[in-house]
Amino acid sequence: MRKKIVAGNWKMNNDLNESIELVNEIKKILLNREDVKVIVAPPFTALDRVSQLLSGTNIGLSAQNMCYEDSGAFTGAISAKMLKSVGCEYVILGHSERRTLFGETNSDINKKFKKAISEGLIPIFCIGETLEERESGKMKKVIKKQIKKGLKEISPENFEGTIVAYEPVWAIGTGKTATPEQAQEVHAFIRKLLKEMYSESLSESTIIQYGGSVKPENAGELMGQLDIDGALVGGACLKADSFANIVKNA
Ligand code: 13P
C-alpha cells in the first residue's frame, strides 16, 4: 500500500522569523507521525534554519525549485548541491507558477529532474492543465506531453521513488478544488501513462499527490480516492493547525 505524503509548499511567504515560528508549531503538532509522511517546502532563505530545526524528526525538507546547472555564472540560481548542503531531501520541480510566471519549459524541467536525481534529491514533479485546456478538451493531451517530456530519458531506476503532483492550474489559489471524481480521473490517467512508460509495479508504487485549494474540509475526500496518495498544499499550509488538520484527514 502506498503511504500518503502531504507536503506544504510555502511559496514566497514567511521571512526567517516567521519560518522558524511556523516550523516550530508544525513540529509541536505533527512530530513523528508514522502513518503519513509530512514534508515542508520553505523559501530558500529559511531552508538552512528550518533544516536544523527539523533535525532528528521525520518531517522532510523540500526546496521549491532549483537550477539544472552545477555552478558558475547563473546569477540568482541555486544548485542541487547547494540544496543538499542545507539538508534538503526533496525539490519541487515544474510547479505551474514556475511554468507560467517564469517561463519554465518541459525541457527545462526534464534537465532539472535529471540533475536532482544525480545529486540524490527526490523530485516532486508537478503537472496540470489550465482551465482553457480542460474546457477545450485538451487536458489529457497536455498532461501526457508534460509527463513524456518532463520524464524524457529518465530510466525506471531513476524514476522509482520520485513523487508526481497533479495540480490543475485552475484550482491553484482560487478556492476552486477539483471534485474528488475529477481529480481521481486524472490521477488514474497519470498512473496508466506511467504503467505504459515504465511498468505496472512502478506505476502502482508511485505516489501521486493532488494540489489545488486543498483544505482540511476537502482533504479527506480527495485523499480517499483510489489513486490520490497525498496532497501538495499551498495557502492552507501557512497555518500550522490547518496544515496539521489536512495531515490528520489524510
Ligand atoms: P493552493 O493550495 O493555495 O491552491 O496552492 C496549491 C499549490 O500550488 C501547491 O503547490
Side-chain angles (χ1 to χ4, degrees):
M1 216 183 104
R2 298 180 293 265
K3 184 171 178 166
K4 298 270 191 284
I5 301 185
V6 176
N9 175 8
W10 298 8
K11 307 193 178 182
M12 196 172 74
N13 293 293
N14 295 328
D15 65 17
L16 185 56
N17 286 331
E18 291 161 341
S19 297
I20 292 169
E21 211 172 298
L22 180 55
V23 78
N24 279 332
E25 283 178 49
I26 289 172
K27 258 171 67 176
K28 260 191 259 162
I29 319 180
L30 287 176
L31 198 57
N32 298 334
R33 277 188 79 102
E34 298 287 339
D35 49 344
V36 179
K37 173 74 185 171
V38 178
I39 299 172
V40 293
F44 288 132
T45 46
L47 284 173
D48 186 24
R49 188 68 76 82
V50 168
S51 168
Q52 291 167 30
L53 292 167
L54 290 179
S55 135
T57 75
N58 62 3
I59 299 175
L61 183 67
S62 177
Q64 298 173 16
N65 181 32
M66 58 167 252
C67 179
Y68 47 71
E69 297 287 352
D70 283 323
S71 62
F74 303 98
T75 301
I78 303 280
S79 71
K81 225 181 216 96
M82 292 171 185
L83 296 179
K84 283 291 281 184
S85 77
V86 293
C88 282
E89 299 160 80
Y90 303 87
V91 60
I92 297 172
L93 297 180
H95 191 280
S96 75
E97 286 147 19
R98 300 295 320 170
R99 293 177 188 260
T100 56
L101 302 173
F102 300 96
E104 281 187 19
T105 63
N106 287 319
S107 140
D108 295 331
I109 295 155
N110 178 250
K111 285 194 262 182
K112 292 182 185 206
F113 199 110
K114 288 175 181 160
K115 184 55 70 179
I117 293 289
S118 76
E119 294 297 331
L121 285 166
I122 300 173
I124 301 176
F125 168 55
C126 302
I127 51 177
E129 82 288 359
T130 63
L131 188 59
E132 194 208 333
E133 287 160 348
R134 174 174 277 262
E135 288 181 341
S136 62
K138 293 197 206 107
M139 177 182 80
K140 288 189 175 167
K141 202 171 152 206
V142 169
I143 302 269
K144 186 169 179 178
K145 187 168 167 192
Q146 289 173 336
I147 291 188
K148 292 266 180 192
K149 297 207 163 192
L151 299 178
K152 191 171 165 209
E153 295 160 355
I154 308 287
S155 68
E157 294 72 32
N158 285 338
F159 179 70
E160 189 173 7
T162 65
I163 299 170
V164 177
Y166 168 59
E167 298 205 300
V169 179
W170 49 273
I172 295 178
T174 57
K176 268 200 233 168
T177 323
T179 63
E181 295 72 28
Q182 282 175 323
Q184 166 58 28
E185 183 198 355
V186 183
H187 280 238
F189 175 69
I190 294 167
R191 206 175 296 287
K192 188 170 135 268
L193 280 177
L194 294 176
K195 181 178 158 187
E196 287 163 15
M197 286 168 69
Y198 295 113
S199 66
E200 173 143 32
S201 67
L202 196 41
S203 104
E204 284 301 321
S205 64
T206 301
I207 299 294
I208 309 177
Q209 297 177 316
Y210 169 80
S213 299
V214 175
K215 300 182 271 282
E217 301 79 57
N218 59 26
E221 209 186 342
L222 282 161
M223 286 186 264
Q225 302 299 308
L226 191 63
D227 290 295
I228 304 186
D229 311 314
L232 183 54
V233 187
C237 79
L238 298 174
K239 295 262 180 294
D241 55 349
S242 88
F243 185 54
N245 282 327
I246 291 172
V247 173
K248 282 174 193 153
N249 292 343

